Structures are given as C-alpha cells and as structure tokens.
C-alpha cells in the first residue's frame, strides 16, 4: 500500500511543483502570479509548496539572497519587497521561509522575535506571529499574555466565536494556542465544533454560507496539530474542485496564483498524513546534502576536503 500510495501522490503533486517552480524570477524571489513582481510572502508560499509537493527551488542561492534582502536591519522585521516597510505578517511568514531554507541564525531569530513581540497587537497578528515563532523554535516573551487573552474569549464547551463563525474562529484560536505552547484542555468541544462546521462540499465557511480555502486551511491546521480527522474524502473533493488541471489551484474561479495552490497543496498533505498515507515530502522532498558535522554519506578524496 505504501509504495502504491506514494506513486499516486507523486503523480498528483509533481505537476503542482512544476507549476510553482516557474514563478521564480531572475532576482531569486517568487511572484504571486506568472510574470508578476517578486515578494517575500509569495516566495515563502512557493518554498513551502515545493517542499510539500516533492519539488525543488530552481535557483536556491538566488532565493536565499532575495529573502535576506527583505530583512530590515533597522527594525528587525521583514518587508514585502526590498526597500519597503516592515510589518508583523510579512515578518512572521518570512521566519517560516528562513526555517525551510535552513538559514536561521540565532541573531536573526532573536531580532525577528523581538520585532513581532513588540508590534503584534490584534489577534490576526498574534496568530501569524505564533506560527513564525514556532518555525524558528522560539517563544515570545509575550506568549503567555497572548494565550491568556485568547482564552478569555473561549466558550464554555471549548469552542470560540458565536453562531456560524464558530468553526473558523475555533480553528484559528486553537492552532494559535498550540503554537504558543499552551496545553489545550476542553479539546473535545473544540474538535466537535470544527467537525460540525464541515459543509456538504467538504470545505468550511467563515460565516456558514460559502466554503472558502482560507477558512478550510485554518481549521485543517488545527485538526492536523491535534491529530484529529474531519471527513477527508469530502475535503479532497472540495480541494479538487479548485483544480485548474495543470497542477495549479484557483483561489477564486479562473485564478492561477500561489495563494490557491498553496492552500490546496498543504491541505492535501495534511489529509494524506491524517489518513496514514506515506509522506511524500519525507520521501522525495528536500534532502540535506551535508549534516553540518562530518562527511558521512560522501565519497571522494578526503585530502581535498
């Protein structure tokens, strides 16, 4: 079963990897759409899609150079494009990219955490900041306060939000709490609320009306972190309904961009994992060429190394 499933996963996902790889520009960054301008956020999205679909960055050195060129030395934050203004969301996403590229240094991690700890105020900023800090394996000095603020909005049964917004808000806040290293209690109520929100088409909605990829992604992130399953068959059908047939996925009808492809590729990876299928990324994804310590696995004249 493992080899058959892996072959199917490879055949399904490599067209997505090929599609995204073509978005890399000569400056090393990736655009959000073909022929567009590079940005740090699109670059990080592309890096993650390539990882989870078994692809590779066409020019990794230029990609590293581009992402580092978006670091703002003065503030410790990251900017959307070189010379721009730093913000919390861009900085947190860049932290994930630094991790995937294996170029996180203690000083860089420290400065970015200081930046987002100082500047993250609203929940959406805190949520994405928690993701960035998780990527570099650091905790903000504000983490305990942030978790407390989130918990103050929790319902008695463990869910979050009101009415039709409960599934999305529950997924968003549960994932943030887990990333802030909070040991979640009342998880049964949270899981039940998210399961109840899955719509007949397999996705989730922000308000009980039309399913969308952003809400589905947030809730699936929480399911994956909790190692709990929704109806993955319905989810896969929902994601396939966004396919353009060329490896890309549409965030909205007719679109060919990194956003829709990012959401669908990552959620398909989570669904495979929750269904117990082989992890494509662990088998045909990124492979470190050097362990950072010795020449294990290498051949050649050691007098030259």
């Amino acid at each position: 079963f493992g080899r058959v499933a892996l072959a199917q996963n490879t055949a399904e996902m490599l067209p997505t990897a090929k599609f995204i790889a073509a978005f890399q520009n000569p400056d090393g960054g990736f655009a959000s759409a073909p022929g567009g301008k590079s940005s740090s956020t699109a670059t990080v999205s592309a890096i993650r899609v390539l990882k989870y679909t078994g692809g590779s960055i066409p020019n990794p050195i230029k990609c590293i150079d581009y992402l580092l060129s978006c670091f703002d030395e003065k503030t410790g934050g990251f900017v959307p494009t070189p010379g721009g203004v730093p913000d919390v969301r861009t900085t947190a996403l860049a932290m994930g990219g630094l991790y995937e590229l294996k170029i996180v240094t203690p000083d860089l991690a420290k400065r970015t955490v200081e930046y987002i700890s100082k500047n993250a105020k609203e929940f959406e900023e805190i949520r994405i900041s928690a993701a960035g800090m998780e990527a570099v394996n650091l905790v903000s000095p504000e983490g305990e306060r942030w978790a407390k603020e989130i918990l103050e909005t929790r319902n008695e049964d463990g869910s979050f939000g009101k009415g039709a917004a409960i599934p999305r808000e529950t997924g968003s806040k549960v994932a943030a709490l887990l990333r802030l290293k909070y040991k979640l209690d009342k998880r049964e109520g949270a899981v039940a609320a998210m399961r109840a929100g899955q719509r007949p088409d397999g996705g989730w909605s922000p308000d009980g009306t039309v399913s969308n990829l952003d809400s589905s992604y947030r809730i699936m992130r929480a399911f994956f972190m909790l190692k709990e399953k929704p109806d993955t068959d319905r989810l896969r059908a929902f994601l396939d309904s966004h396919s353009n047939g060329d490896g890309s996925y549409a965030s909205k009808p007719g679109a060919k961009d990194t956003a829709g492809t990012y959401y669908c590729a990552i959620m398909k990876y989570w669904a495979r994992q929750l269904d117990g299928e082989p992890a494509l990324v662990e088998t045909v994804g990124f492979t470190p060429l050097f362990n950072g310590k010795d020449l294990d696995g290498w051949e050649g004249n050691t007098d030259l190394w």
Side-chain angles (χ1 to χ4, degrees):
F1 166 77
R3 293 190 179 190
V4 172
L6 179 60
Q8 292 172 339
N9 291 340
T10 303
E12 177 188 11
M13 301 310 293
L14 286 184
T16 302
K18 182 178 180 181
F19 172 80
I20 288 294
F23 281 34
Q24 189 174 27
N25 287 322
D27 62 6
F30 286 77
S32 60
K37 184 179 179 180
S38 297
S39 72
S40 58
T41 52
T43 298
V44 173
S45 294
I47 291 168
R48 295 199 70 208
V49 171
L50 290 170
K51 173 182 177 179
Y52 288 111
T53 57
S56 59
I57 301 169
N59 191 331
I61 301 301
K62 291 284 286 184
C63 183
I64 289 171
D65 289 343
Y66 177 80
L67 193 57
L68 290 177
S69 74
C70 293
F71 179 67
D72 182 57
E73 287 284 353
K74 183 177 180 180
T75 63
F78 274 80
V79 299
T81 56
V85 178
D87 63 78
V88 170
R89 179 178 181 273
T90 300
T91 302
L93 292 172
M95 292 165 77
L98 297 174
Y99 168 79
E100 300 293 4
L101 292 170
K102 310 303 180 192
I103 56 171
V104 181
T105 65
D107 181 64
L108 193 56
K110 179 175 178 289
R111 294 203 63 199
T112 53
V113 169
E114 287 175 347
Y115 174 83
I116 61 177
S117 296
K118 178 181 178 181
N119 292 283
K121 307 297 182 184
E122 304 297 327
F123 170 71
E124 283 300 305
E125 293 176 329
I126 292 170
R127 179 186 70 85
I128 200 68
S129 295
M133 290 184 295
E134 181 191 45
V136 297
N137 198 31
L138 290 176
V139 177
S140 168
E142 300 294 323
E144 187 174 340
R145 179 176 65 82
W146 288 344
K148 183 179 179 181
E149 289 178 358
I150 294 171
L151 288 168
E152 287 174 351
T153 68
R154 185 166 63 172
N155 299 323
E156 185 61 32
D157 65 354
S159 66
F160 292 85
K162 303 295 179 185
I166 286 177
R168 174 188 166 96
E169 191 161 342
T170 299
S172 300
K173 292 189 173 179
V174 164
L177 286 169
L178 293 172
R179 283 172 152 164
L180 291 170
K181 312 302 181 186
Y182 175 78
K183 188 175 181 180
L184 189 70
D185 57 340
K186 299 185 178 182
R187 61 178 281 157
E188 294 81 5
V191 170
M194 293 189 296
R195 282 207 179 103
Q198 190 171 17
R199 296 178 55 76
D201 64 4
W204 284 265
S205 164
D207 54 11
T209 55
V210 180
S211 301
N212 66 22
L213 292 178
D214 178 66
S215 296
S216 301
Y217 178 89
R218 291 175 184 235
I219 293 166
M220 275 302 297
R221 161 60 74 180
F223 272 125
F224 183 69
M225 295 183 77
L226 291 169
K227 295 182 172 59
E228 296 279 356
K229 280 181 58 173
D231 186 329
T232 52
D233 288 337
R234 277 198 290 152
L235 171 66
R236 290 171 192 260
F238 173 69
L239 299 177
D240 287 340
S241 72
H242 291 74
S243 174
N244 289 317
D246 60 357
S248 68
Y249 293 82
S251 56
K252 56 184 179 181
K256 288 192 176 185
D257 52 29
T258 55
T261 304
Y262 172 85
Y263 282 136
C264 291
I266 304 300
M267 282 191 277
K268 285 198 167 190
Y269 168 78
W270 288 337
R272 289 197 302 271
Q273 292 286 283
L274 291 173
D275 284 339
E277 296 178 16
L280 176 65
V281 63
E282 294 176 4
T283 308
V284 296
F286 292 179
T287 302
L289 297 179
F290 178 52
N291 63 17
K293 294 181 281 189
D294 52 43
L295 294 174
D296 283 354
W298 287 71
E299 297 178 0
N301 185 347
T302 56
D303 292 338
L304 300 177
W305 299 92

